[in-house]
Every structure is written in C-alpha cells, then in structure tokens.
Amino acid sequence: MKFSVSSSALLSLLATTGKVISNKNTLPILDYFLMELQGGELKVTTSDLETTLVGSIQVDSVESEGTIAAPAKLMLDSLKEFPEMPLTIDVNDKNWEIKINWKSGSLSIPGASAVSYPAVPQLSAEKKELKLDVDTLVAGINKTIFATADDELRPVMNGIYISLTPGALTFVGTDAHKLVKYESEMENEVNASFILPKKPANLLKSVLLKEDDAIEVAFDSKNALFKLKSHTLVCRLIEGNYPNYNAVIPDNNPNKVLVDRIELLNGIKRVAVCSNPTTNLIRMDIADNKIALTAQDIDFSVSANETISCSYDGQPISIGFKSTFLVEILANMETPTVMVELADSTRAGVFKPVYDEKQTNSSLMLLMPMMINA
C-alpha cells in the first residue's frame, strides 16, 4: 500500500473519524484506524462497537492498494506537527510498518493487521429510509441534546427521541426535570420513531456543519445509518419505550409572561450566585408587569434580589426553579423575547421563543418547578 496525500487533508479526516475512539476500549484493535485504499480513495473507519464512523478522501499517485490498522494516537500526534505539505505513505505488507515520507525526512510507525477489525453493522431488510434536510437535523440535535439525561437506570432518556409522522419531524430530549420538544414541518411518508444516543448525535452535529445536501437516513429496530457526502455514520440505537412526553406538557396555562430573554438570563445569573449550592433554587414572584427574582442561602447568610420588567397577563404567582436549568433553557433559545406560560406553583413552566414572523418549525421547553417556602 503506497500513496501520496496532503498532510492537512489526511489530518482532517483522521481527526474527525478519531472522535469515535473511546478511552476505555475493550478490544485493543479499536485504538486503531482501519485504513483501506482502493481505486484512488482512502477510506478510514473507527468504531467503539456501538458507533462506527467511516470517512473517505481522494488521494494522489497510488502505487499499490491495501488495508492496514494504524495506531490512532501516534498517527494524530505525528500529523499535527506538519504544515500543509504532500506526504507519501508507504506500508510494508509483511511487517505492517507504516512509513511517512516528506521532502526533508521520514518517520516510521508500527501498524497492525486489519483482519480482526470489527465489520460495519448492516441494517436489516425491514429498514426504513428517508432524506433529511441538514439544517433541520442540526437544529433538532442542537436544541434538544442539552436536555437529555445521564441516567443508568433509565437509558431511554440518555438519547434524543426522533419521531417521524406524515408532515412532521419531532425531536425530544428530557431528563425528567426539563424537556425540550422541537418540531419541524416535513413532507414524509415514514411513520416511525427511534432514540438516537448522545455520542453519535454529537458526532453528527460536528460532521454535518460541512454538509450542504440532504442526508440519507436509514434505520431498523437496532441501528441507524446516516449517509453524508464523505462520511457514513452507523450507530446502535437505544432500545426501549420513550416516556409519553405529551402527557407532561400542560395544555391550559392561563398566566403568560413576555420578557426580554437576555435581561432575564443575566438577572438569573446575578441572583443565582447567592442561591443554596445544593438546590440552586431561585424564586420568581410575578405580578404587575414585573418579575422579582430572589435567591438566598440561609446557612451562609447571603441573599440577592433583582426586579425585571415584563409584560404579564394573569394572576400574581410565586414559583421556584433550579437556576442552573433556567440558565440552560434560556441560553438555548435564540429569539430576543420569550413567552413563559405558567399554571400555578406546582405545575411545569413552558418556555417558548417569540418570533416576528411565522416559522415552519416550533419549539417549546418545559421546566418542572421546585418547592418554595412561602
């Protein structure tokens, strides 16, 4: 196996695919890149047995084709030290030595046989296929991933629930305290759903930024496959039934607050410094077009308060929220104004972005309240 390639193109490919490699691999071969050269195309595969990412680039002056397992850390550490320049990679098929040659020098890295590298999982014949718009997929992941849980007892909450119905695509993330639902209009024949784990969702997020065309998606009951321009991601899905999220979204919220998002976010951050470090409780008293924010830690005799003006339609209400969750929710919205809908101090608050014109998508964020001492 011998070919020439640009140092930066190779580093970019290895750095992207290398994100899959886990620090706690059970198989030593998973600490390697599987590199396959065929017909002028270099294909690099990485896997942690749950997620597999395959990337490819075109290379120059191929003298011989072949396959090798290359140690990931050594390859990345070596390539990071090169400016943009042509490199010649020469692999000895007998002792698996990888030689990287450049104009003024060379280095040698021990490779390994690729025979024991796990095969890319194949989807069953009953798979469902569709095309997804890049921007919709990126927005859906970005808006919901922060709300997913890290709960070993309820693994279904550790991923993003993606639901397809004729006319709509819905993304949901929840950890039982906060919930985000992002819905986008979409022409679609498939009626199905799956739970995408957090790691492949984060990988997709970074790889999709370089894409322009629609993404081909296929999934069955166990795996999902995302086909991009120069990458293919295959991941094992989280199995189980996702909780009925619609049941916890309150329908009738008579108290409505319109408020400047940044003003509220900054006010919460300032006041939260004095909240109890265990509960992070922040109290909101809403009446007369004003939100009074209060936080205190009795143990250390610290307290803070701030009053923010808003437009309020409803009865006076006092409600408590965890400040860290409030900050996350407000930071993950992009509109200048938000609508907060409340029923009473024991029911979830619903946060919605306020747009100037009609959107083809909608999002809502829900936060469970905390007990406050009246």
Side-chain angles (χ1 to χ4, degrees):
M1 180 173 168
K2 189 174 181 184
F3 62 95
S4 296
V5 66
S6 139
S7 59
S8 57
L10 184 58
L11 176 59
S12 171
L13 175 65
L14 296 186
T16 303
T17 51
K19 288 176 183 166
V20 173
I21 297 171
S22 163
N23 300 330
K24 307 175 193 141
N25 277 325
T26 45
L27 300 174
I29 193 73
L30 297 179
D31 292 326
Y32 286 69
F33 290 115
L34 173 64
M35 300 174 78
E36 301 168 271
L37 181 63
Q38 202 173 9
E41 184 183 61
L42 176 68
K43 205 159 81 173
V44 174
T45 305
T46 52
S47 173
D48 65 0
L49 296 180
E50 301 260 316
T51 306
T52 304
L53 184 58
V54 183
S56 60
I57 50 169
Q58 295 298 316
V59 297
D60 310 316
S61 51
V62 176
E63 283 187 36
S64 58
E65 298 179 341
T67 305
I68 188 161
K73 189 173 184 318
L74 268 171
M75 287 293 287
L76 285 169
D77 288 350
S78 307
L79 288 167
K80 279 175 189 164
E81 303 306 325
F82 286 95
E84 165 56 51
M85 62 163 69
L87 301 174
T88 302
I89 312 250
D90 189 358
V91 174
N92 183 323
D93 294 339
K94 294 186 174 56
N95 64 4
W96 306 115
E97 181 195 26
I98 303 165
K99 253 193 143 164
I100 301 177
N101 300 298
W102 61 99
K103 194 171 65 183
S104 54
S106 68
L107 63 85
S108 168
I109 289 173
S113 163
V115 174
S116 61
Y117 207 89
V120 177
Q122 297 300 307
L123 272 62
S124 69
E126 288 85 56
K127 67 183 178 196
K128 297 195 159 107
E129 296 178 290
L130 66 146
K131 285 198 167 182
L132 284 185
D133 175 63
V134 178
D135 295 338
T136 306
L137 191 53
V138 171
I141 292 171
N142 275 334
K143 285 184 187 298
T144 53
I145 199 160
F146 81 93
T148 54
D150 290 303
D151 189 343
E152 288 177 12
L153 298 174
R154 288 182 292 184
V156 291
M157 289 191 174
N158 298 348
I160 298 170
Y161 176 73
I162 299 176
S163 167
L164 298 141
T165 51
L169 171 65
T170 307
F171 297 80
V172 181
T174 184
D175 60 2
H177 301 289
K178 54 185 181 292
L179 179 147
V180 181
K181 176 183 170 187
Y182 176 78
E183 202 166 41
S184 182
E185 292 172 13
M186 178 180 142
E187 288 307 315
N188 154 50
E189 305 303 314
V190 181
N191 203 346
S193 63
F194 59 90
I195 306 170
L196 181 68
K198 213 178 294 197
K199 182 173 177 177
N202 271 317
L203 282 164
L204 269 176
K205 211 167 69 165
S206 57
V207 180
L208 285 170
L209 297 173
K210 305 178 183 118
E211 294 291 313
D212 330 309
D213 304 327
I215 309 300
E216 289 177 35
V217 182
F219 61 95
D220 58 17
S221 59
K222 289 200 161 41
N223 296 296
L225 182 147
F226 297 84
K227 197 167 180 12
L228 289 69
K229 198 165 50 195
S230 55
H231 290 87
T232 301
L233 178 88
V234 184
C235 66
R236 191 176 302 164
L237 298 171
I238 298 175
E239 292 183 43
N241 294 321
Y242 202 74
N244 180 1
Y245 58 89
N246 281 320
V248 297
I249 301 173
D251 291 333
N252 184 22
N253 297 308
N255 304 305
K256 293 180 167 54
V257 186
L258 272 173
V259 63
D260 182 295
R261 181 179 68 87
I262 299 294
E263 202 179 329
L264 179 61
L265 176 61
N266 290 337
I268 290 164
K269 284 180 178 174
R270 283 190 288 269
V271 172
V273 173
C274 293
S275 66
N276 181 309
T278 314
T279 62
N280 298 119
L281 172 66
I282 197 159
R283 176 182 169 132
M284 299 169 83
D285 293 291
I286 309 165
D288 302 331
N289 292 336
K290 285 188 172 55
I291 303 173
L293 303 170
T294 319
Q296 61 176 352
D297 184 0
I298 295 163
D299 297 342
F300 292 97
S301 304
V302 292
S303 64
N305 65 78
E306 181 165 340
T307 303
I308 290 166
S309 58
C310 65
S311 173
Y312 183 53
D313 178 15
Q315 298 296 315
I317 189 170
S318 297
I319 192 164
F321 289 115
K322 194 177 179 78
S323 61
T324 47
F325 290 165
L326 266 177
V327 166
E328 271 188 311
I329 278 180
L330 292 167
N332 278 283
M333 290 181 156
E334 69 280 339
T335 56
T337 308
V338 294
M339 163 84 79
V340 187
E341 299 180 356
L342 303 164
D344 57 53
S345 61
T346 61
R347 302 214 342 248
V350 177
F351 297 75
K352 293 177 179 173
V354 178
Y355 294 98
D356 294 336
E357 56 225 37
K358 194 175 182 326
Q359 301 288 308
T360 55
N361 54 59
S362 66
S363 62
L364 71 79
M365 302 191 184
L366 177 146
L367 184 55
M368 298 305 288
M370 295 175 74
M371 288 286 291
I372 48 174
N373 300 323

